[in-house]
Amino acid sequence: MKPTSRITTAATLLLVILTITFGCKSSNSDPGPTTLTSLQGSWKITGLTVDPAFVYMGASFTNIRAGLQLLGETCLNDAVITFNTNGTVTNNIATQATCTNATFTKQIVGAFFGQTTTYTESGNQVTLTSNAQTVSGTRVFTTTTATLTAKLATDPIGNPVPTTYVVELTKQ
């Protein structure tokens, strides 16, 4: 076999291998993750911020989750919020040991996701209604999270300060 024949044969073989390796797509390809479209199901509160900052004992907090942890309240680490198919909202705070003395966490979670809360969803809007108030805001979904943004006339402990709340939830 001549050297040019070997080079041609090798080049042809390499071209066939490359074509098979990179040219063929599997018909079973994964379409990728799907963005969530509803709050239905169970969620952990993985972020909680306010604007303007909440001031407590001379300290200023916009990241309420971190502020609660500085105060020794780790309840949010164990709290699960569930948006039920019948439009009700439940949480497991009453059954979590870390929530026993978590006064501020109970107030904040109760304001949005208390045991008497119901919810409705429409487009990018969500409305949470409890005995005390109705909170309407926007919701934005990813493949594993929901971000709820709402304005209330009060700060985290009920002072009359107009406050924007951003609650980040992670699907369980």
Side-chain angles (χ1 to χ4, degrees), residues 36 38-49 65 76 79-83 89-91 109 112-113 119 121 126 128 138-149 166-172:
L36 296 168
S38 173
L39 289 171
Q40 250 178 44
S42 296
W43 302 81
K44 283 236 183 206
I45 299 174
T46 51
L48 178 58
T49 58
R65 183 178 173 81
L76 286 182
V80 175
I81 309 301
T82 302
F83 293 87
V89 178
T90 55
N91 68 63
V109 171
F112 290 101
F113 311 112
Y119 76 101
E121 300 177 89
V126 63
L128 303 168
T138 60
R139 63 185 185 154
V140 176
F141 290 111
T142 69
T143 57
T144 58
T145 65
T147 301
L148 310 177
T149 304
V166 178
V167 181
E168 295 173 15
L169 303 169
T170 301
K171 188 78 167 168
Q172 298 299 291

Side-chain angles (χ1 to χ4, degrees), residues 42-157:
S42 296
W43 302 81
K44 283 236 183 206
I45 299 174
T46 51
L48 178 58
T49 58
V50 294
D51 182 28
F54 170 61
V55 179
Y56 180 73
M57 297 180 68
S60 179
F61 302 98
T62 55
N63 184 337
I64 297 301
R65 183 178 173 81
L68 290 169
Q69 290 179 341
L70 287 173
L71 295 171
E73 292 193 17
T74 59
C75 177
L76 286 182
N77 296 337
D78 301 316
V80 175
I81 309 301
T82 302
F83 293 87
N84 300 297
T85 57
N86 66 358
T88 61
V89 178
T90 55
N91 68 63
N92 70 341
I93 288 180
T95 63
Q96 300 305 308
T98 55
C99 298
T100 302
N101 297 313
T103 305
F104 293 127
T105 303
K106 287 178 184 177
Q107 286 177 334
I108 293 167
V109 171
F112 290 101
F113 311 112
Q115 298 299 359
T116 62
T117 303
T118 59
Y119 76 101
T120 58
E121 300 177 89
S122 179
N124 71 341
Q125 299 292 306
V126 63
T127 301
L128 303 168
T129 305
S130 68
N131 293 336
Q133 66 185 349
T134 297
V135 177
S136 292
T138 60
R139 63 185 185 154
V140 176
F141 290 111
T142 69
T143 57
T144 58
T145 65
T147 301
L148 310 177
T149 304
K151 279 191 174 244
L152 292 178
T154 60
D155 73 6
I157 61 170

